[in-house]
Amino acid sequence: MDLDIVFSTNPDWKPEDEPEVITLAPEKQKLRVRMERKGRGGKQVTLVTGFVGNNDDLADLAKTLKTGCGVGGSAKDGEIIIQGDHVQRVKEILSKIGYRM
């Protein structure tokens, strides 16, 4: 059984065939925005999913949304979490930038 596992002692080693994620243009993306409370200790968050792109662009979009709503949040694993129920405001900001919902 071939598992394609490589061990290296070189701290600068990176796999050669690691695909580079390319961020799609806003008009080609379809994001989903919803309010969620389950599993968050009863606190409301606005969840944005469906982003296709690299982590840097995801973090930039999250920063834009957090600034526009005046709240905190985070971005990881292709999701943006905005603290509080800001579904309408997030949709307005995303549509101004050119994203589809």
Side-chain angles (χ1 to χ4, degrees):
M1 184 163 65
D2 186 20
L3 298 177
D4 293 329
I5 297 176
V6 177
F7 294 98
S8 175
T9 56
N10 181 357
D12 298 325
W13 184 84
K14 293 183 182 177
E16 294 175 9
D17 56 345
E18 185 175 301
E20 185 175 325
V21 179
I22 298 172
T23 303
L24 293 178
E27 59 273 1
K28 293 184 179 183
Q29 297 203 38
K30 183 163 173 60
L31 302 181
R32 290 171 294 289
V33 181
R34 70 177 192 265
M35 195 277 293
E36 188 175 279
R37 183 181 299 154
K38 189 174 184 179
R40 302 186 188 278
K43 298 187 179 178
Q44 296 177 339
V45 297
T46 302
L47 192 62
V48 181
T49 58
F51 183 81
V52 178
N54 62 38
N55 289 332
D56 292 336
D57 293 333
L58 179 68
D60 289 343
L61 180 58
K63 183 176 181 179
T64 301
L65 295 175
K66 292 187 300 184
T67 303
C69 294
V71 296
S74 65
K76 63 180 180 180
D77 300 329
E79 292 183 340
I80 299 173
I81 299 169
I82 304 295
Q83 295 173 351
D85 184 4
H86 298 282
V87 173
Q88 288 299 73
R89 181 69 184 134
V90 167
K91 284 183 176 181
E92 290 171 9
I93 294 169
L94 290 174
S95 63
K96 282 183 184 177
I97 299 172
Y99 287 93
R100 296 183 303 135
M101 261 95 16

